[in-house]
Amino acid sequence: MGLQSFEHGLERMVEGVFSRGSRSSIRPIELGRRLLREMDDHRSVDVKGRRIVPNEFMFLLNERDHASFADIDEALNAELCETAREYARAEGYHFLGAVRVVMDVDDTLRPGRFAISSRMKEAGGGARAGALVLPSGDRIALGQQVVSIGRLPECTIPVPDANVSRRHCEIRPQGSAFVVADLGSTNGTKVNGVRIQGEHALADGDVVSVGSLSLRFEAS
């Protein structure tokens, strides 16, 4: 799936919400297009044959343009991060760590102009942190505890679905990351649409599917 296929979705996400009242001539859709092109331009292949792309992005703007985005900075960053994750899933790209977008000031730029830099940054070795995002948008924080998913009401995430086993799978901390482990379920556990065997390491933006339930993993 090419870059153009994502433009309508990106425009729908950012333009209606973020363009109102903006004093900048920079449209959020321009930032999104440039971010996705940055991923394409800086992809590489690791020793496992995976296509790796940058996961940290910095936009540089004139002070006036930067100030015009101040009220929507957090929401805009979240939408741009999610767009990067969706694009990576569709293109088969992989991130080394959590996706992060930063806006900063560069007064050498004229109003209406911006620059972008990116890098590939591995997840740090510090305390584990992450979240599972439910279809409702609610988040379940991940830390030291194992999160169980299944049909039993005592599971951390109970799923009343006949296609889900009583104890279907678990999300477990492992080192500085998290893995999803299928517990021998009848219908299997999928990550990004592919059925896993045993344990599978989770990357930022991965979608874990159990029966009809899909959960998005977010690293932090």
Side-chain angles (χ1 to χ4, degrees):
M1 186 179 295
L3 177 61
Q4 289 184 345
S5 302
F6 270 79
E7 291 193 353
H8 293 304
L10 177 60
E11 188 164 7
R12 183 178 62 253
M13 280 196 293
V14 301
E15 285 297 306
V17 177
F18 303 126
S19 61
R20 61 178 183 270
S22 174
R23 301 185 304 277
S24 174
S25 60
I26 299 174
R27 299 166 61 214
I29 188 70
E30 296 176 57
L31 303 179
R33 287 176 181 146
R34 187 64 187 85
L35 185 150
L36 299 188
R37 192 161 71 247
E38 186 78 1
M39 293 168 64
D40 285 336
D41 291 346
H42 292 85
R43 64 181 182 265
S44 62
V45 179
D46 69 2
V47 294
K48 297 180 181 178
R50 301 181 305 172
R51 295 194 293 172
I52 306 299
V53 293
N55 57 299
E56 291 204 351
F57 305 89
M58 175 178 285
F59 285 100
L60 296 174
L61 307 96
N62 177 273
E63 185 174 5
R64 189 176 72 184
D65 291 318
H66 185 271
S68 75
F69 287 121
D71 291 341
I72 59 171
D73 180 72
E74 183 176 345
L76 177 57
N77 285 7
E79 295 291 356
L80 290 171
C81 288
E82 181 56 23
T83 297
R85 295 185 189 104
E86 289 186 4
Y87 190 57
R89 285 195 291 269
E91 294 296 309
Y93 293 158
H94 293 266
F95 299 117
L96 295 179
V99 179
R100 184 167 177 256
V101 174
V102 175
M103 305 282 184
D104 207 349
V105 173
D106 183 347
D107 280 330
T108 65
L109 293 168
R110 297 197 306 269
R113 302 293 297 273
F114 67 89
I116 185 174
S117 62
S118 64
R119 64 173 177 165
M120 300 177 189
K121 184 178 179 181
E122 294 189 42
R128 291 179 287 259
L132 292 174
V133 183
L134 302 173
S136 64
D138 293 333
R139 282 173 164 75
I140 295 177
L142 299 174
Q144 300 293 331
Q145 302 300 316
V146 172
V147 172
S148 58
I149 303 172
R151 212 169 63 245
L152 291 175
E154 57 263 34
C155 287
T156 311
I157 305 177
V159 185
D161 183 337
N163 292 315
V164 174
S165 297
R166 290 158 59 84
R167 291 185 59 83
H168 196 102
C169 67
E170 292 178 342
I171 309 293
R172 303 168 178 168
Q174 189 175 93
S176 61
F178 293 91
V179 299
V180 56
D182 187 79
L183 301 178
S185 65
T186 301
N187 294 306
T189 301
K190 295 180 179 180
V191 176
N192 300 329
V194 178
R195 185 165 178 169
I196 66 170
Q197 300 294 329
E199 290 187 349
H200 180 92
L202 291 173
D204 187 48
D206 279 350
V207 175
V208 178
S209 299
V210 174
S212 60
L213 176 68
S214 290
L215 306 165
R216 187 176 75 250
F217 170 73
E218 289 187 355
S220 59

